[in-house]
Every structure is written in structure tokens, then in C-alpha cells.
Amino acid sequence: HESPAVLENVPYASVNGTELHLDIYQPDEPSAQPRPAVVLIHGGGWTSFDKGTMRGMGQFLARSGFVAFSVDYRLFHGNDNRWPAQLDDVQRAVRWIRANASKYGVDRDHIGAFGHSAGAQLAALLGMEDTRDNSDVALAKYSSKVQAVVDVSGPIDFTTGRDADGDAFFTAFLGSEYAKNPQVWQEASPAFHVSKQDAPFLIVHGTKDDTVPISQAQELYDKLKAAKVPVSFVKVDDGHTFRTPEARRRLAIESRDFFDQYLVNPR
């Protein structure tokens, strides 16, 4: 199978002198109709990795008829780029895709988000909240909310299962200790944003995940179910990053089928 066409390092924003880029994976076959799109959000604890880690999924989705956009966002280092910089960036990316939809053959009303780990936390919030920062006048008229979310190995509730290392990181990242400002920790946690207006979710989590416990996925599933949001929960016999070919194949196929259901043929 040949690799789909990729447009690399397309700038989508400039924030405080940092230029942010995305890679666009496009299906080979021309289409008379605009296609649904999927935003791919990499993991790395909000501090590392980049859009390149989503290449395999981008190619797979493009072969499956989607236009996939793998996005970079500002990474947290030292005191730079504290939360919610990352959310602002991925929301800006979704709006940019909507603003440029006709250029890339995208149906701007059918956009999904797929994220792994820290990227899944961001993807989840894209399916729950509308834009936080409206200062970009050119994009203000476009929504950043997506129509379907795949959450892979995502941390969902920063207020539970806490430990000293995690507390130190999140205190720096969120800019406040939990005891002093629990609200900031809750605002960054998708578990506290569940409502019946949320986009449909596919949650995929490894039973052997020792980075983000599967109880996080279970909590999100239970809360979405209670809110009557369409949600599926797939448990995979693997760790935080899916290493076995079986787990990767299952993730790819479940994600494709889910996006087909909610972006291609929405009820």
C-alpha cells in the first residue's frame, strides 16, 4: 500500500514568537465531497515528543478516507507554557482546520480528535468544551469543539490517585498546589467536564498500564454513561503505549470504525 500524501510542517499559529505546525495526511483518491477530518494529538506528559509520533495513525486514517491533521502544541518546560497553553493551541488548531476546510477538502462540521496519553486529555476536552481563548479575531467565528473523540491511555482526573511526584509536577504545570486551588486541577481534568452535550467517545486503555491506571478510563466511561453520552470502552491487554501488533491493530480498527460511525454516517 503506498503511503498517503503528507504535507509536513504547515504553520497554523504563531504564539508569543513560537510558530506552531501541523502535518496533513490526505487520502490518495480525489473526492467530490468534502471529507471528515481527525486531529491527532501526541502524548509525552505535556513536556515531550511531537506530531511525528502520530505518523502511523495519520497514514492509516488517510487510507481510510479521512484527512488527518497531526498537531504540535507548546510543551511545558521550567516555568514556560504552563497549562492551559496546550489546550489553547489544540483548540486553535481545530479552528484553523475549520477556517481552511475548503483548501484541504474537509467537511468542517465533521471533525474528530484522537489523542494518546497527555494528548488524550487534550482530545477529551476538545469534545467537551468550547474555546477558552477568543483573542484570535480571524478564528473567533469557528468552533473548536469536535464531533467525536478517541481517548487512548488518557489521564482523566488529576485529583485522584495522587502521589508526591505527580503533585510536584502538576503544581508546577497547573500553577497551584491542589490544597490551595483544587478548582484549577478540576478544570484541567476531563472528568469534571462531563455533560450530555459532550461528543461521543471511544475510550481505549491497556489493562497493564502502570503510567495511567485503567481506573481513570473507567471513571470517564461511568460518568459519560451516566450523562447519556454515547461511549464505548475497549480494554486492551497491553501497557501505556501499545507495543504488540495485536493491540495496535485493534486500536486502529476500533478508531476507524468509531470515526466512520460518528463522522461519516452520523445519525
Side-chain angles (χ1 to χ4, degrees), residues 34-95:
R35 300 177 186 272
V38 177
V39 182
L40 304 172
I41 310 176
H42 71 84
W46 307 276
T47 62
S48 64
F49 297 137
D50 62 42
K51 56 186 169 54
T53 63
M54 287 285 167
R55 180 179 303 273
M57 187 54 71
Q59 291 173 335
F60 173 76
L61 288 171
R63 282 199 293 271
S64 305
F66 298 90
V67 184
F69 296 80
S70 180
V71 302
D72 275 342
Y73 49 88
R74 283 171 290 165
L75 299 174
F76 171 62
H77 287 301
N79 288 316
D80 292 339
N81 303 330
R82 275 198 175 121
W83 182 261
Q86 298 70 28
L87 179 62
D88 289 346
D89 292 347
V90 296
Q91 288 186 331
R92 197 179 281 111
V94 174
R95 297 175 125 179

Side-chain angles (χ1 to χ4, degrees), residues 132-143:
R132 196 193 74 84
D133 173 12
N134 272 317
S135 57
D136 187 330
V137 180
L139 297 181
K141 66 177 188 230
Y142 297 102
S143 168

Side-chain angles (χ1 to χ4, degrees), residues 26-246:
Q26 293 175 298
D28 292 332
E29 314 76 50
S31 167
Q33 301 301 319
R35 300 177 186 272
V38 177
V39 182
L40 304 172
I41 310 176
H42 71 84
W46 307 276
T47 62
S48 64
F49 297 137
D50 62 42
K51 56 186 169 54
T53 63
M54 287 285 167
R55 180 179 303 273
M57 187 54 71
Q59 291 173 335
F60 173 76
L61 288 171
R63 282 199 293 271
S64 305
F66 298 90
V67 184
F69 296 80
S70 180
V71 302
D72 275 342
Y73 49 88
R74 283 171 290 165
L75 299 174
F76 171 62
H77 287 301
N79 288 316
D80 292 339
N81 303 330
R82 275 198 175 121
W83 182 261
Q86 298 70 28
L87 179 62
D88 289 346
D89 292 347
V90 296
Q91 288 186 331
R92 197 179 281 111
V94 174
R95 297 175 125 179
W96 182 92
I97 292 164
R98 287 202 159 107
N100 290 278
S102 53
K103 183 172 179 182
Y104 298 109
V106 165
D107 175 352
R108 66 167 61 94
D109 297 322
H110 295 100
I111 299 180
F114 173 103
H116 176 259
S117 193
Q121 175 252 3
L122 292 165
L125 291 171
L126 287 178
M128 295 173 159
E129 293 301 302
D130 227 313
T131 322
R132 196 193 74 84
D133 173 12
N134 272 317
S135 57
D136 187 330
V137 180
L139 297 181
K141 66 177 188 230
Y142 297 102
S143 168
S144 65
K145 194 169 176 189
V146 298
Q147 279 69 56
V149 175
V150 177
D151 151 20
V152 188
S153 312
I156 291 307
D157 184 348
F158 300 142
T159 69
T160 61
R162 294 173 26 233
D163 60 41
D165 286 352
D167 276 8
F169 171 78
F170 283 113
T171 296
F173 180 51
L174 301 174
S176 179
E177 284 174 44
Y178 181 68
K180 288 195 181 139
N181 194 348
Q183 196 184 346
V184 174
W185 291 51
Q186 291 172 5
E187 278 171 7
S189 300
F192 291 88
H193 294 266
V194 172
S195 79
K196 64 177 190 296
Q197 280 79 39
D198 292 350
F201 268 72
L202 168 64
I203 302 168
V204 188
H205 213 101
T207 53
K208 300 175 185 153
D209 191 332
D210 51 14
T211 306
V212 177
I214 197 166
S215 56
Q216 293 263 315
Q218 186 70 49
E219 180 185 348
L220 181 63
Y221 175 76
D222 293 343
K223 287 184 170 171
L224 287 167
K225 200 98 185 123
K228 300 194 167 28
V229 175
V231 56
S232 310
F233 184 9
V234 174
K235 296 169 189 171
V236 176
D237 180 28
D238 211 324
H240 185 63
T241 305
F242 298 169
R243 307 223 174 260
T244 65
E246 299 76 34

